[in-house]
Amino acid sequence: MNQNLSEADLSHLQEALSRSGQKVTPQRETVFKVLLSKRDHPSVDEVYNRAREAMPGLSLATVYNCLETFVGCGLVRQVNHERESTRYCPNLAPHAHFRDKATGRVHDIDLPPEVLSSLRSILPPGFDSETIEISFHGRTQAKDGHAN
Amino acid sequence: MNQNLSEADLSHLQEALSRSGQKVTPQRETVFKVLLSKRDHPSVDEVYNRAREAMPGLSLATVYNCLETFVGCGLVRQVNHERESTRYCPNLAPHAHFRDKATGRVHDIDLPPEVLSSLRSILPPGFDSETIEISFHGRTQAKDGHAN
DNA sequence: TGAAAGAGTTAGAATGACTCTAAACCTCAA
DNA sequence: TTGAGGTTTAGAGTCATTCTAACTCTTTCA
């Protein structure tokens, strides 16, 4: 979390923002960096706390604003589980989420195209889906500590 | 919404409650009846308003309690979409939900066993899923008015 | 009978995750 | 150098849900 955004990530941010007529600001850079540097589906509060290490004056409202902006221009996805607080995920590849009952951690589960299309095929005619959210809830016997 | 629960529905309620050591009460009967009589995924507030027609003194807290009880003993499912208020669904067959962007209505989408199992198959070893939630979000060109 | 226990219900207060508001801040362009 | 518009900020407001503590009802068993 100490080094800056890479050239590539910065221009990714830059490009997505300007596509919707918005600017790169220090706050947005900081929040984006937080999301990329630990991909563990943080809540707004977690993003806020991590981001303030690098930018102490940052306000919670701004974190909400930044994240909403990123969702709006397709840079990150929201992840909701029941009525818990919203989490954020910079993984844009099609994937499902698995929420561990015991730890509360959210893991990305890769979603192969054929499963995605078999899922789409269950929709009756007249139903046009723009987004699909798939979430599993259960337990893991994970041996490693990384949370994805 | 004027007639009582059928024998079959009442004994279904009865049995599910007693399985977890709980009792049938007039409030629980009323709330359960509301859920069965219009299967349109009502929110707590909607259940509350409908139920008070039959039982004016019923409190909102009790509606929350009843619904929580029903979820706990497997009589109904919760349906969440983003951070909107929780909705309730007495359809226990495996199904996905489709939320209409324009109307906010939630439709049940039947989930064939082979799709369900292909979905389960994407979980890596060590991930034991107890529940799966699938929700589509998009638009419908529905010709009929019923909300399911 | 009737006292105590325990489940269920109730109104209203409390919580917490956002969401809004209005003022301040910046940057760029005329 | 004025001001227009996007951005940030602190704090107030909202709203679904949860909690609390009193009350009611039924059951138990003394």
Side-chain angles (χ1 to χ4, degrees), chain B residues 97-116:
Chain B
H97 290 112
F98 185 100
R99 170 117 175 309
D100 189 323
K101 238 177 175 159
T103 65
R105 275 186 186 164
V106 176
H107 302 259
D108 285 356
I109 306 290
D110 195 55
L111 195 56
E114 67 277 11
V115 173
L116 191 54

Side-chain angles (χ1 to χ4, degrees), chain A residues 1 30-43 46-47 50 53 88-91 105 145-148:
Chain A
M1 213 355 245
T30 302
V31 170
F32 193 55
K33 190 166 58 173
V34 165
L35 291 176
L36 294 185
S37 58
K38 195 173 172 202
R39 298 163 153 266
D40 60 352
H41 307 86
S43 64
E46 285 161 346
V47 173
R50 292 175 197 173
E53 286 169 22
Y88 291 84
C89 168
N91 177 357
R105 274 186 188 165
H146 87 274
N148 248 349

Side-chain angles (χ1 to χ4, degrees), chain B residues 82-106:
Chain B
E82 279 145 36
R83 303 215 87 250
E84 292 179 3
S85 44
T86 301
R87 297 173 171 279
Y88 292 84
C89 170
N91 178 356
L92 294 173
H95 65 278
H97 290 112
F98 185 100
R99 170 117 175 309
D100 189 323
K101 238 177 175 159
T103 65
R105 275 186 186 164
V106 176

Side-chain angles (χ1 to χ4, degrees), chain A residues 3-4 13-15 21 46 50-51 53 66 90 99 102-103 126 131:
Chain A
Q3 63 273 51
N4 283 329
L13 175 64
Q14 166 86 268
E15 198 219 318
E46 285 161 346
R50 292 175 197 173
E53 286 169 22
C66 289
R99 169 116 177 309
T103 64
T131 60

Side-chain angles (χ1 to χ4, degrees), chain A residues 20-84:
Chain A
S20 53
Q22 287 165 301
K23 291 170 196 161
V24 175
T25 66
Q27 287 85 346
R28 286 175 180 163
E29 272 191 53
T30 302
V31 170
F32 193 55
K33 190 166 58 173
V34 165
L35 291 176
L36 294 185
S37 58
K38 195 173 172 202
R39 298 163 153 266
D40 60 352
H41 307 86
S43 64
V44 174
D45 251 42
E46 285 161 346
V47 173
Y48 177 51
N49 289 322
R50 292 175 197 173
R52 268 194 310 174
E53 286 169 22
M55 184 180 273
L58 185 69
S59 85
L60 181 60
T62 300
V63 175
Y64 273 101
N65 290 341
C66 289
L67 292 170
E68 196 194 350
T69 301
F70 295 163
V71 171
C73 65
L75 279 169
V76 308
R77 272 173 62 180
Q78 285 185 321
V79 184
N80 290 108
H81 269 99
E82 279 147 36
R83 303 215 85 253
E84 291 178 2

